[in-house]
């Protein structure tokens, strides 16, 4: 018995080490463009975790949702060959379908790994290390922006050394990690205050250093939602009135900032280095900003709409992103349209795509009824990802599948009564 217990403890420690390694690897290999980064560290670690976690439980445990995701992917692959707005025989088209098929299978395996991780009561442990590593990387933006440590900028910035993106070297990619980490550090009670405050400030500063409009909009929405949830959960009239005051204060502050920027437009433009700041430019001259660097995203959205109109009922399946964007002369044809919902509608058609989106929101709404603090922490992170889905293809990132794998496993356990009794209202059907 003692030997078996020691083997169990040793195996758990190995699993914890692999989870920390996987959390660390996400700082380098979370983006969609470089599938080889996923395979370099993250994917072998995922396969090792799947083997160990199934061995620990003593049997192969594959949830129905994983089978369902594989069937959906198979359907999207069939549609890609049967119905497509482009010549099927094109080698580039075939290559793109194969690329997306392999990549999406790997993302399903990330989902499956996080599901097994939470099933073994290690989901919160995994998420905690993801948030810690992201906060550490975010703090490097202070060294580069405030203290001018230019020697490390080439490793942390987008091409041109103008926008902070962590080791992912893309502010949109790092923004996804930053949102998850921010939800952790704002809500956790497992970290001391002297670590929480610097971590939150570093994350907020990293968004500013990234100079990406999408994450800034999401931060404002998150602030509104967080204040509303935190204050309106109390049943008293004064608590609800305070929540309304807080929301009104945020709206008034935002409008005041925009008004001041417009009022002192010329003075702000004359500030040294202003021309390089995309966020300030957007406030001073929103029309010029939209016609400038903002137009790329509009072209990508237009590409998704073209896909939807080509096959509104069945969709066009996987592999259509590159061809559509090339057709529209989008400057970055190697990425997908910057909107998760438009892409789902284009891939699966209006009927199935709408059903998938509604199911996802129904699942999140069900989790919002939880009274478990750790589940609400993950729920806030998921809400941030869903917000970001309007500006970016978050479904192409392994960290998104990891988060929803943990949440699905929690919801399934709570449903059968294997977890805390104060978890209510979760429906995963």
């Amino acid at each position: 018995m003692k030997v078996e217990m020691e083997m169990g403890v040793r195996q758990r420690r190995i699993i914890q080490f692999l989870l920390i390694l996987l959390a660390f690897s996400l700082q380098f290999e979370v983006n969609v463009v470089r599938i080889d980064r996923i395979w370099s560290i993250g994917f072998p670690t995922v396969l090792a975790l799947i083997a160990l976690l199934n061995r620990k439980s003593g049997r192969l445990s594959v949830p129905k949702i994983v089978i369902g995701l594989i069937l959906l992917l198979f359907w999207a692959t069939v549609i890609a060959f049967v119905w497509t707005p482009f010549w099927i025989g094109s080698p580039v088209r075939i290559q793109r379908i194969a690329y997306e098929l392999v990549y999406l299978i790997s993302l399903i395996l990330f989902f499956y790994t996080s599901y097994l991780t939470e099933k073994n009561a290690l989901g919160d442990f995994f998420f905690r290390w993801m948030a810690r590593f992201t906060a550490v990387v975010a703090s490097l933006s202070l060294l580069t922006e405030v203290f001018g440590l230019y020697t490390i900028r080439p490793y942390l910035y987008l091409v041109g050394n103008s926008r902070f993106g962590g080791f992912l070297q893309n502010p949109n990619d790092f923004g996804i990690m930053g949102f998850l980490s921010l939800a952790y550090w704002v809500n956790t009670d497992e970290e001391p205050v002297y670590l929480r405050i610097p971590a939150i400030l570093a994350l907020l500063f990293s968004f500013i250093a990234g100079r990406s409009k999408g994450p800034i909009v999401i931060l404002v929405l998150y602030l509104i939602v967080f204040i509303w949830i935190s204050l309106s959960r109390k049943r008293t009239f004064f608590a609800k009135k305070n929540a309304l005051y807080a929301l009104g204060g945020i709206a008034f502050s935002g409008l005041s900032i925009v008004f001041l920027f417009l009022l002192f437009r010329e003075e702000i433009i004359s500030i040294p280095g202003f021309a390089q700041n995309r966020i300030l430019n957007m406030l001073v001259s929103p029309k010029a900003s939209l016609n400038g660097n903002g137009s790329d995203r509009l072209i990508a959205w237009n590409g998704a709409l073209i896909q939807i109109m080509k096959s509104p009922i069945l969709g066009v399946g996987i592999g259509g992103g590159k061809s559509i964007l090339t057709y529209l002369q989008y400057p970055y044809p190697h990425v997908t349209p910057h909107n998760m919902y438009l892409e789902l509608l284009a891939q699966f058609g209006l009927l199935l795509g709408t059903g998938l989106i509604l199911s996802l929101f129904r699942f999140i709404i069900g989790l919002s009824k939880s009274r478990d603090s750790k589940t609400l922490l993950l729920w806030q992170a998921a809400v941030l990802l869903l917000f970001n889905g309007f500006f970016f293809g978050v479904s192409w990132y392994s960290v998104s599948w990891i988060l929803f794998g943990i949440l699905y496993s929690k919801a399934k356990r709570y449903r059968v009564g294997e977890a805390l009794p104060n978890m209510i209202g979760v429906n995963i059907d």
Side-chain angles (χ1 to χ4, degrees), residues 112-177:
Y112 180 42
T113 301
S114 61
Y115 168 85
L116 293 175
T117 299
E118 173 57 29
K119 190 176 181 181
N120 285 270
L122 287 171
D124 296 321
F125 172 86
F126 184 25
F127 188 81
R128 180 164 62 248
W129 277 100
M130 287 167 50
R132 286 173 174 175
F133 283 128
T134 304
V136 171
V137 174
S139 66
L140 298 178
S141 64
L142 295 170
L143 299 179
T144 55
E145 295 284 333
V146 178
F147 301 105
L149 189 58
Y150 294 101
T151 55
I152 62 174
R153 287 181 74 96
Y155 306 100
L156 298 168
Y157 280 68
L158 196 63
V159 177
N161 293 338
S162 61
R163 299 171 60 192
F164 180 82
F167 290 106
L168 298 168
Q169 296 183 319
N170 189 311
N172 291 315
D173 297 348
F174 185 74
I176 293 177
M177 299 296 299

Side-chain angles (χ1 to χ4, degrees), residues 285-304:
S285 184
K287 184 177 180 181
S289 178
L290 182 61
N291 293 333
N293 52 49
S295 62
D296 290 348
R297 184 169 273 107
L298 294 179
I299 295 174
W301 292 349
N302 186 39

Side-chain angles (χ1 to χ4, degrees), residues 7 40 104 118 154 161 175 183 205 297-298 341 344 352 358:
M7 289 180 62
S40 60
L104 289 171
E118 173 57 29
N161 293 338
F205 188 83
R297 184 169 273 107
L298 294 179
Y341 306 104
L344 285 175
L352 183 55
L358 291 178

Side-chain angles (χ1 to χ4, degrees), residues 369-421:
K369 300 176 183 179
S370 167
R371 296 177 183 174
D372 176 47
S373 59
K374 291 184 178 180
T375 301
L376 284 174
L377 186 158
L378 295 170
W379 174 83
Q380 284 193 16
V383 169
L384 285 171
L385 284 184
L386 293 180
F387 274 144
N388 200 23
F390 288 102
F391 298 92
F392 212 58
V394 298
S395 57
W396 280 90
Y397 290 79
S398 55
V399 66
S400 304
W401 292 73
I402 288 171
L403 175 63
F404 281 97
I406 294 174
L407 284 172
Y408 180 83
S409 184
K410 280 182 177 291
K412 187 174 181 181
R413 287 168 52 212
Y414 294 141
R415 187 189 179 197
V416 298
E418 295 178 2
L420 297 176

